[in-house]
Amino acid sequence: MQDTMQRMIRNTIVGMTRPAVALLFIFYLSFSPAVAQGTREVLTQAENDYQIGRIEQARDALLQNLDTFHGVLRQNALRLIALSYLARFDIEQTEHYTSLLLQENPYYSPSSGDPATFADIVDNIKAGMTATITTASSQAESLAEVPVPTTLITAEMIQDSGARNLQEVLAAFVPGMNIIDCNDDINIAMRGIYSNTQEKILIMLNGHRLNSYATNTAAPDFSISLEKVKQIEVLRGPASSLYGGVALTAVVNIITKQGLDVDGMQARIAAGNYGQIKGDAVLGKRYFDIDMLVWGSVYRNTGEKYDVTNERVGEGPFPMPVDHIRIGRIGEHPTYDFGVQLGYKGLQFMFDTHFSQVVAPFTIASLALSYDHGRYRTFNGLEPSFGVYSRHADLSYQWSLFNIQWKAAATYDKADLTRYQVISDDAIPTLSTVIPMPDLMKEVFETEGGIFRYVNGQEQDYGFQLKGNYAYTLGDDHKGNIGFGAEYDHFQLDDIRYQIGYDFEWTFYEDPVMRNAGKGSENSANAYLQLKHQWRSLILNAGMRYDYKTRYDDSKVRELSPRVALILLRPKWNVKLSYSKSFVDAPYIYRKANVMSSLMLGEDATSLSPERVHSVQLSFAGNNWVRGLSLDLNGFYNSATNLIQTSISNYENVGKNKTCGVELMASYKQPKYSVNWNFTWMKTFESNLIDLGVPEELFPLYSTDLDTNNNTPAIMSNLVLGWQALPQLKLHTHLLFEGKQTSYNTDLVKLVQTISSLEDFNTYIVEDQMEKAEAAWQRAVDTASEITMHKDMPARAIVNIGGEYTLGPVTFGLNVHNLFGTRYYRSGMNTNLIPQQGRWFLGSVGIRF
């Protein structure tokens, strides 16, 4: 009976697919180049064998020659292999090769002649139920097999969120990530760990590092176009076992579309209520084995005018110089992202250039004063802002040799970085009390205003990579992969300027010794090995990477980064237990800033070590319990040490953070609507703030130690809804909820008073006036206990809505950010409360041809 049913199903599949196979064969026989004749003949013979019921012969022939197929021929081969396994009721292998097919062409749709079961498998994979990613283990694998908690964000999800930049995409979909506002950069935190700039999360474009080698920074801002994105793969947790430095708390890998995905050109222009002008264009084509994608994006705005008349009234000697600031301003020069991607068989080339700029609404750090932006001079055409011009190039080749899949790549990166910060419009006589500086600067700052700091440098880096992956099978129950690779990088900073200015346009003499002190080069090399072994339903995934770095001063960095995970796979659920350790070396620019500060003050430079995070995670995921429903629950414990924080005049490894939490993701997708929801609860039970150099004798009255979250809500949640209301009309909504949070920062008034009292104490001790010395000490103790101030930020719910209406090739869109104009604040490291954007509109018109 069973044999009879199998023959019936097999004959049905063969009969239904014969017309489609014949048409595809005729088309590619006519148009494929002659050099593909051999592989085409293999495919043709396999199709003939399949049609007459020789299923195993067809499948085995294609598997033996799979590496020789490229482009459309490879898609057809993968489709036929999947159908062959389906005919033998091997659903696991059917899903595997269908996933590989969708990797080649994510927009593939089954023909009317394909069996319904195959169409269901394609639809399920597209819906993300068995989606395939490559970031977690440097090989294609389903989400169920990934060794660490992973969030997969598709192009459709990005559209449903209404997100304007990468920061908002990540905050909407990745549990544990929340927006941090450090005043002069677009930033994001992961599980309560962050810096003044985004330097703890590795951001990549098709596996190519975008983080600067000098600053470790990659801002998730408008300089990264979202129109070119096919999907974003986010590894939640340390990932140095594969990616080394910067992958401290997470990895974000942006996967671009292929030319075949676009198959034409799509363009969009947009305008908004605060001077927003946005233009995007994507061109994609595939000609036989050549795939091409070209993209371009520009964006600018004038910022939202915000009245600060009542801000910080009565809070000491630092009044607001002007009555308004600009929130969310990009700058005079538009940000942009232009790139091209070419593929030919196993050869890939990518070039991307972008410009990132953000204008700080307030002056530097804890001062947080308003300022007259237009009064300050320009440097290289830039007014006060944080800006980066960068270029990235990547050439890679993949091939198969000795049953090993190889990939070799050469990379080149170049960037011009500017950090132009205003300190104060007005003179600040007490500034030298909290910031050590030469006597000449003290005298000027006591009488002159318009104080600023300008830092600029040009970096370049080139690197070489070689990776391999060997798949093996041991009997019927054991199979796995061994991955290995090595990499070499050379970095150099060609030039650097570090200047202090006053009176809005003048600068102090730039010492050539200091300028040359900023230059330097560094070399790094690494090697990794990882094993993924499956025994029935149990997977062991373990890896180790060794990093060796020679710094500019000949000091060495040696780091071992291990990872181990156990995964239990069941048909509709899986459980993962993992441990991983990561590191990031102290940014080059921080180490050099300490050197230049020491030269200025005649002191020894503070050395910096790498920052480290250890993490344990336990995850449970359920798929397709109800058709279209997926759930993911993750518990984690993070222990971070050696975190770099800003001291009085330099950087130090004094930070720590111990946090535990629970993350929940759920998605539900139907043909006309989709729901994506996430929830995060976090508890930080050990951390600390900025080290101000207050003597230990004043502890614990003055303490930077905390047992709570800082600028990170204990509870946060996102709900993203997409609804196809009409065939031409699609609506979307994003609801963000953030619980109450507290910002711990430095009260500069109390700090000035404390330092002044300590100076009096020292003077009285020298003069042997013990009674006055005792009174001065008591004043220092009283004010030191109030240096660390905290400000509560109430819970808030922010609603974003939007929609698109398509009329032929034209699409009209409208997005509203913060629909109800809710006024709220955010903060960051050593940053006062920063007011956030109100209601922003953006209307758009797009065309596809």
Side-chain angles (χ1 to χ4, degrees):
M1 180 68 177
Q2 185 177 1
D3 293 340
T4 301
M5 290 183 64
Q6 290 182 358
R7 284 196 300 270
M8 291 175 62
I9 293 174
R10 181 182 62 196
N11 293 335
T12 300
I13 293 174
V14 171
M16 294 173 67
T17 57
R18 185 180 295 114
V21 171
L23 288 174
L24 287 172
F25 171 66
I26 293 172
F27 177 84
Y28 292 112
L29 185 63
S30 301
F31 293 94
S32 295
V35 294
Q37 188 66 33
T39 55
R40 188 189 304 112
E41 289 177 355
V42 173
L43 178 60
T44 302
Q45 183 60 49
E47 289 169 341
N48 292 334
D49 288 342
Y50 180 85
Q51 292 173 17
I52 63 176
R54 301 175 63 185
I55 306 296
E56 286 80 4
Q57 289 88 335
R59 181 196 63 200
D60 293 343
L62 292 174
L63 289 173
Q64 291 174 6
N65 295 276
L66 187 57
D67 293 336
T68 65
F69 292 99
H70 300 283
V72 178
L73 293 179
R74 181 175 175 85
Q75 293 180 37
N76 294 335
L78 290 169
R79 170 186 172 274
L80 197 54
I81 292 173
L83 289 174
S84 298
Y85 277 115
L86 181 60
R88 293 295 181 258
F89 303 100
D90 191 337
I91 301 301
E92 180 180 354
Q93 290 296 328
T94 302
E95 290 180 343
H96 174 69
Y97 285 96
T98 306
S99 297
L100 295 180
L101 168 61
L102 291 174
Q103 272 189 282
E104 293 291 315
N105 180 10
Y107 296 97
Y108 171 82
S109 296
S111 67
S112 59
D114 287 331
T117 304
F118 181 67
D120 288 342
I121 291 173
V122 172
D123 291 340
N124 288 344
I125 294 177
K126 283 185 175 181
M129 296 176 186
T130 54
T132 300
I133 69 169
T134 59
T135 306
S137 299
S138 194
Q139 58 181 303
E141 56 189 352
S142 69
L143 284 174
E145 300 176 44
V146 173
V148 295
T150 303
T151 300
L152 177 64
I153 306 170
T154 64
E156 182 180 9
M157 292 167 65
I158 295 173
Q159 182 183 19
D160 289 344
S161 71
R164 298 169 296 181
N165 55 36
L166 181 60
Q167 178 200 50
E168 294 181 359
V169 171
L170 298 176
F173 291 109
V174 183
M177 281 194 181
N178 66 290
I179 294 174
I180 289 291
D181 197 331
C182 294
N183 189 45
D184 53 4
D185 192 19
I186 290 181
N187 204 346
I188 197 162
M190 180 63 181
R191 296 173 178 171
I193 298 177
Y194 53 90
S195 299
N196 284 317
T197 57
Q198 194 304 99
E199 58 195 56
K200 310 295 189 193
I201 299 171
L202 176 63
I203 298 179
M204 302 188 297
L205 181 64
N206 293 331
H208 183 105
R209 167 177 167 158
L210 297 183
N211 297 67
S212 161
Y213 287 83
T215 65
N216 289 347
T217 298
D221 60 10
F222 294 95
S223 68
I224 300 177
S225 168
L226 297 178
E227 297 295 325
K228 67 177 184 291
V229 176
K230 179 175 72 175
Q231 66 186 43
I232 301 173
E233 302 171 1
V234 183
L235 307 185
R236 307 192 325 260
S240 288
S241 62
L242 267 181
Y243 298 106
V246 189
L248 191 72
T249 60
V251 172
V252 176
N253 191 13
I254 303 166
I255 308 298
T256 60
K257 298 173 182 176
Q258 297 291 309
L260 185 63
D261 302 335
V262 180
D263 194 26
M265 182 174 182
Q266 55 192 44
R268 184 187 300 267
I269 57 172
N273 58 330
Y274 289 111
Q276 304 102 300
I277 300 294
K278 192 172 190 295
D280 292 281
V282 179
L283 170 65
K285 276 291 183 183
R286 176 173 288 180
Y287 301 95
F288 302 109
D289 291 329
I290 299 176
D291 189 275
M292 177 187 70
L293 184 74
V294 181
W295 66 86
S297 175
V298 294
Y299 176 77
R300 65 158 297 174
N301 66 44
T302 56
E304 177 183 351
K305 189 175 181 179
Y306 182 85
D307 190 350
V308 294
T309 304
N310 296 319
E311 296 284 327
R312 300 180 60 194
V313 173
E315 290 196 15
F318 306 120
M320 291 292 183
V322 296
D323 61 6
H324 70 274
I325 60 172
R326 294 279 179 175
I327 302 174
R329 186 177 179 185
I330 293 300
E332 295 301 318
H333 299 277
T335 63
Y336 60 76
D337 179 9
F338 296 100
V340 60
Q341 178 178 283
L342 298 172
Y344 175 73
K345 296 184 178 180
L347 190 66
Q348 291 284 331
F349 172 75
M350 185 271 293
F351 175 78
D352 178 67
T353 178
H354 59 258
F355 172 60
S356 168
Q357 186 179 30
V358 175
V359 175
F362 291 111
T363 62
I364 192 170
S366 296
L367 288 175
L369 305 174
S370 61
Y371 64 102
D372 191 345
H373 184 269
R375 293 186 65 184
Y376 288 83
R377 61 168 294 180
T378 61
F379 286 90
N380 297 325
L382 294 180
E383 295 179 330
S385 61
F386 183 57
V388 180
Y389 293 94
S390 60
R391 289 153 291 280
H392 309 276
D394 190 307
L395 179 64
S396 65
Y397 182 67
Q398 299 184 63
W399 74 99
S400 178
L401 183 64
F402 304 124
N403 294 323
I404 299 176
Q405 299 297 317
W406 296 91
K407 181 179 180 180
T411 61
Y412 180 75
D413 301 87
K414 188 172 185 178
D416 186 298
L417 311 110
T418 296
R419 193 174 186 87
Y420 183 2
Q421 298 170 298
V422 173
I423 299 174
S424 175
D425 279 4
D426 299 329
I428 304 182
T430 57
L431 186 63
S432 61
T433 305
V434 294
I435 303 178
M437 59 183 67
D439 291 337
L440 177 60
M441 288 187 182
K442 292 180 183 179
E443 295 175 5
V444 172
F445 291 162
E446 288 178 357
T447 58
E448 299 287 348
I451 308 167
F452 59 88
R453 179 178 70 172
Y454 174 76
V455 182
N456 173 259
Q458 292 81 44
E459 67 165 290
Q460 58 179 326
D461 177 273
Y462 58 80
F464 304 95
Q465 305 171 2
L466 179 64
K467 299 179 180 180
N469 188 277
Y470 173 72
Y472 64 86
T473 301
L474 303 174
D476 296 331
D477 295 333
H478 295 270
K479 61 181 179 180
N481 290 275
I482 298 175
F484 54 91
E487 181 179 3
Y488 168 80
D489 283 288
H490 173 80
F491 156 79
Q492 64 186 52
L493 196 68
D494 296 322
D495 189 22
I496 188 168
R497 297 179 63 184
Y498 187 95
Q499 292 187 282
I500 302 294
Y502 62 94
D503 196 22
F504 302 98
E505 59 180 61
W506 301 103
T507 60
F508 289 99
Y509 172 73
E510 185 178 14
D511 189 342
V513 175
M514 286 190 60
R515 182 165 184 171
N516 290 328
K519 300 178 182 179
S521 64
E522 298 185 336
N523 296 286
S524 59
N526 66 75
Y528 76 87
L529 178 67
Q530 67 172 17
L531 168 69
K532 177 183 176 182
H533 182 83
Q534 181 171 357
W535 175 61
R536 296 181 179 176
S537 298
L538 189 64
I539 296 178
L540 169 66
N541 193 313
M544 176 76 75
R545 170 165 158 154
Y546 176 70
D547 283 81
Y548 179 84
K549 182 176 184 178
T550 303
R551 290 175 168 181
Y552 68 88
D553 58 359
D554 290 330
S555 62
K556 314 296 182 184
V557 174
R558 300 176 179 89
E559 289 287 332
L560 276 175
S561 303
R563 181 198 73 219
V564 61
L566 286 174
I567 305 168
L568 177 62
L569 287 179
R570 304 306 298 168
K572 289 193 175 184
W573 57 272
N574 63 81
V575 177
K576 305 172 186 176
L577 175 63
S578 65
Y579 162 78
S580 55
K581 177 238 175 183
S582 62
F583 82 99
V584 56
D585 190 25
Y588 176 93
I589 201 70
Y590 287 0
R591 291 181 271 126
K592 282 294 188 178
N594 283 358
V595 171
M596 289 186 283
S597 176
S598 66
L599 289 173
M600 183 183 298
L601 301 174
E603 302 174 352
D604 292 333
T606 302
S607 62
L608 291 174
S609 302
E611 304 167 89
R612 301 180 182 91
V613 170
H614 297 261
S615 181
V616 177
Q617 304 189 77
L618 177 62
S619 305
F620 172 84
N623 296 317
N624 212 25
W625 288 348
V626 177
R627 183 175 176 84
L629 176 66
S630 295
L631 298 172
D632 191 311
L633 176 66
N634 178 58
F636 69 88
Y637 168 76
N638 278 1
S639 177
T641 57
N642 269 14
L643 297 179
I644 296 175
Q645 295 183 347
T646 308
S647 185
I648 294 292
S649 58
N650 57 8
Y651 299 90
E652 298 184 33
N653 289 110
V654 295
K656 57 187 176 183
N657 183 285
K658 293 184 179 180
T659 300
C660 64
V662 177
E663 302 165 341
L664 176 62
M665 294 192 307
S667 64
Y668 184 63
K669 185 174 178 60
Q670 292 296 318
K672 289 190 176 182
Y673 64 89
S674 63
V675 180
N676 285 276
W677 175 70
N678 61 71
F679 171 87
T680 304
W681 172 82
M682 289 192 299
K683 171 61 179 177
T684 299
F685 49 90
E686 186 177 347
S687 66
N688 65 327
L689 297 172
I690 182 174
D691 179 13
L692 296 171
V694 177
E696 292 183 3
E697 293 85 349
L698 295 180
F699 284 91
L701 295 175
Y702 163 68
S703 176
T704 61
D705 291 332
L706 300 174
D707 59 359
T708 185
N709 303 318
N710 181 28
N711 294 313
T712 303
I715 295 176
M716 51 188 172
S717 182
N718 290 273
L719 178 65
V720 177
L721 306 172
W723 177 36
Q724 193 74 48
L726 298 170
Q728 299 85 11
L729 177 63
K730 185 171 185 180
L731 305 175
H732 59 259
T733 301
H734 173 208
L735 173 62
L736 162 68
F737 173 79
E738 292 181 330
K740 177 184 176 181
Q741 56 186 294
T742 302
S743 175
Y744 293 88
N745 281 295
T746 305
D747 189 328
L748 288 183
V749 176
K750 298 299 182 183
L751 178 59
V752 169
Q753 293 173 349
T754 300
I755 295 176
S756 179
S757 297
L758 288 174
E759 291 176 347
D760 292 342
F761 169 77
N762 291 329
T763 301
Y764 293 142
I765 288 293
V766 172
E767 296 176 353
D768 199 24
Q769 300 184 49
M770 302 309 296
E771 184 175 345
K772 291 184 177 180
E774 184 178 348
W777 179 260
Q778 188 59 49
R779 290 196 302 273
V781 169
D782 292 341
T783 54
S785 64
E786 301 176 0
I787 290 176
T788 300
M789 62 180 179
H790 67 273
K791 297 180 179 179
D792 292 330
M793 292 173 279
R796 61 261 187 165
I798 308 300
V799 179
N800 306 322
I801 66 170
E804 288 190 341
Y805 185 82
T806 302
L807 190 63
V810 180
T811 299
F812 302 92
L814 176 65
N815 281 303
V816 183
H817 174 85
N818 195 355
L819 175 65
F820 300 109
T822 304
R823 284 299 175 189
Y824 63 103
Y825 294 83
R826 284 195 171 106
S827 184
M829 179 174 289
N830 194 28
T831 306
N832 264 289
L833 300 190
I834 307 297
Q836 299 300 295
Q837 298 176 17
R839 186 185 300 107
W840 285 50
F841 296 89
L842 189 69
S844 64
V845 178
I847 186 170
R848 181 182 178 88
F849 49 89

